[in-house]
Amino acid sequence: MPGLLRGVARTAVVAGTATAVSNRVSRRQAGRWAQQEAAQPVAAPPPPPPAPAPAAAADDMTAKIDQLKQLSTLKDQGVLTEEEFAEQKRRLLG
């Protein structure tokens, strides 16, 4: 019986030591991870995406593009001079 008791005692000591070592390693790793997280700056959340342009703005832009095409056609036909075209374009876009 003493041999059996010695084996049980040895198993208990080994299991207890393994548990203690495992817990200590886990705590040490958790501490290191906490230090690393504290050392890293917290990144600000990305800004929200810009709001989609309303349909009216898109229609307005389409109208401006059409007017620019008409002005360009008039300039190409010789009805408008380069200065007149530039002035009308500035008024339209400005």
Side-chain angles (χ1 to χ4, degrees), residues 4-20:
L4 180 62
L5 199 54
R6 190 177 310 154
V8 171
R10 183 178 297 154
T11 302
V13 168
V14 170
T17 302
T19 301

Side-chain angles (χ1 to χ4, degrees), residues 3-83:
L4 180 62
L5 199 54
R6 190 177 310 154
V8 171
R10 183 178 297 154
T11 302
V13 168
V14 170
T17 302
T19 301
V21 169
S22 175
N23 288 341
R24 183 172 179 209
V25 169
S26 294
R27 282 193 301 270
R28 188 184 306 169
Q29 285 178 343
R32 285 183 185 169
W33 291 336
Q35 287 176 351
Q36 287 176 352
E37 288 177 0
Q40 295 176 352
V42 176
D59 291 342
D60 186 37
M61 183 58 73
T62 304
K64 287 182 181 182
I65 291 172
D66 290 338
Q67 288 177 348
L68 280 173
K69 286 180 184 178
Q70 289 174 353
L71 288 173
S72 175
T73 303
L74 290 173
K75 182 183 80 151
D76 293 339
Q77 292 174 351
V79 176
L80 293 177
T81 64
E82 185 68 32
E83 293 78 21

